[in-house]
Amino acid sequence: MAKVRSIFISDVHLGTRACQAERLLDFLKETPADHLYLVGDIIDFWAMGRSIAWSAAQNTVVQKILRRARHGEQVVFVPGNHDEALREYVGVAFGDIRVESEWVHETADGRRFLLVHGDEFDQVTRYHRWVAVVGDVAYNALVRLNGWLSWVRRRLGRPGYWSLAGYAKRKVKSALQFIFDFEDAVIRHARARGMDGVICGHIHWAAIKQVDGLTYVNCGDWVDSCTAIVEHFDGRLELVSWGSPFLHDADAPAALPAPETPLPLPAPAALRGESEVGNGGSPHPLYPSSPEGAS
């Protein structure tokens, strides 16, 4: 894939068996960029509290991100609920990676997008944490079961990729209503902030769509659909599904052109983040045990 201006990824869930680290690593190797945004749930501390599954490929993903930051690529990390412990370091730069609670990204055509993980708009995660944890365990079990089903489909010669988790979301009415409610809440917040759109994650449902004049973008995940958002040098946003033809919403465009009349406005200094602090021996936000391991 040719070089792009920006990459947005979320919900990698490093530290779990479901993490598709090999595919993410291939994507990062093939897609150079000027900006890399990690939009939450990159590391899954929830799952690691139960058991840790850290593969060599996951280790290489971390090293790849560290290397890109050292070589001049702007890397911003917006923690999510699964790596919420890192929110204690908001406003701090560890080496060349910034940790921010949110970020305002201005595209090449002058549009401003608010970057948030999105868990603050999920009423279950905010007010019923135990339900969210149970749901997380159930979702991980569904994803692992999908791995077995994919193996059976390959043995039977069935082509293409089929997602059990995606199928369940499309067929369960309450799941769809949750997605719609989440999208509406995020869009309302972006509108109140005076943004042209929002880029988020959290619900593992990749999309690029126009909602009442604003652009809603969800990065998807790297445990099931293996999706990312890229910004081209003309400001176009594209949804990339890496390693499989699967996309959740057949009606959602894979690429969204820039508007004919962009409104370039400066992002507030407070959201750009002006402070930069060395790590001073603090654990690295992506690689707590040994940041020197990357080269």
Side-chain angles (χ1 to χ4, degrees):
M1 186 172 183
K3 183 177 181 179
V4 297
R5 185 171 184 262
S6 307
I7 295 173
F8 307 85
I9 60 173
S10 72
D11 298 275
V12 178
H13 292 276
L14 293 169
T16 68
R17 291 183 178 87
C19 173
Q20 298 283 339
E22 293 84 359
R23 289 184 178 177
L24 176 57
L25 186 58
D26 288 341
F27 170 72
L28 292 175
K29 286 180 177 179
E30 296 294 329
T31 316
D34 293 334
H35 309 277
L36 174 60
Y37 294 104
L38 310 173
V39 194
D41 286 2
I42 304 303
I43 305 173
D44 195 332
F45 291 126
W46 286 16
M48 291 170 68
R50 301 187 294 266
S51 64
I52 301 176
W54 195 280
S55 66
Q58 293 183 35
N59 202 55
T60 305
V61 166
V62 174
Q63 293 178 350
K64 181 69 173 177
I65 293 173
L66 293 171
R67 188 179 303 115
R68 291 174 74 139
R70 284 200 307 269
H71 290 173
E73 189 168 330
Q74 182 192 39
V75 180
V76 177
F77 185 7
V78 178
N81 52 306
H82 283 258
D83 43 27
E84 62 187 350
L86 301 177
R87 287 172 173 165
E88 297 180 10
Y89 302 97
V90 162
V92 176
F94 292 88
D96 299 299
I97 297 179
R98 302 193 58 83
V99 180
E100 299 290 344
S101 59
E102 59 182 32
W103 192 260
V104 174
H105 172 74
E106 186 172 329
T107 59
D109 51 49
R111 290 175 294 165
R112 291 194 306 156
F113 283 82
L114 181 65
L115 272 62
V116 293
H117 177 63
D119 59 289
E120 58 266 54
F121 304 100
D122 179 350
Q123 300 303 308
V124 174
T125 299
R126 289 186 64 186
Y127 301 114
H128 306 283
R129 183 184 176 93
W130 71 270
V131 178
V133 172
V134 171
D136 177 59
V137 173
Y139 178 79
N140 286 333
L142 201 62
V143 171
R144 293 183 67 181
L145 177 59
N146 196 86
W148 286 99
L149 291 177
S150 296
W151 179 84
V152 171
R153 284 172 59 87
R154 289 194 300 270
R155 296 285 293 181
L156 294 176
R158 299 294 298 274
Y161 176 80
W162 183 77
S163 169
L164 177 60
Y167 177 81
K169 287 180 180 178
R170 289 192 299 274
K171 294 301 182 182
V172 178
K173 184 176 180 180
S174 59
L176 286 176
Q177 188 59 52
F178 169 81
I179 292 170
F180 297 149
D181 291 345
F182 175 85
E183 293 175 353
D184 289 343
V186 174
I187 282 292
R188 286 198 303 270
H189 181 71
R191 188 184 305 280
R193 295 286 296 275
M195 300 292 161
D196 298 300
V198 62
I199 300 175
C200 59
H202 185 59
I203 61 172
H204 295 209
W205 195 259
I208 301 177
K209 61 174 68 175
Q210 291 293 122
V211 181
D212 296 331
L214 271 67
T215 305
Y216 169 84
V217 181
N218 195 295
C219 303
D221 65 88
W222 289 87
V223 299
D224 184 36
S225 58
C226 296
T227 52
I229 303 297
V230 299
E231 177 201 358
H232 295 283
F233 284 96
D234 59 359
R236 288 181 302 113
L237 297 177
E238 180 182 358
L239 195 164
V240 177
S241 181
W242 194 261
S244 76
F246 173 73
L247 283 177
H248 294 301
D249 189 354
D251 297 326
L256 191 68
E260 295 182 0
T261 310
L263 298 174
L265 295 172
L271 290 178
R272 290 181 185 275
E274 300 297 335
S275 62
E276 184 161 332
V277 181
N279 60 18
S282 300
H284 196 284
L286 281 179
Y287 201 4
S289 60
S290 177
E292 294 79 15
S295 58

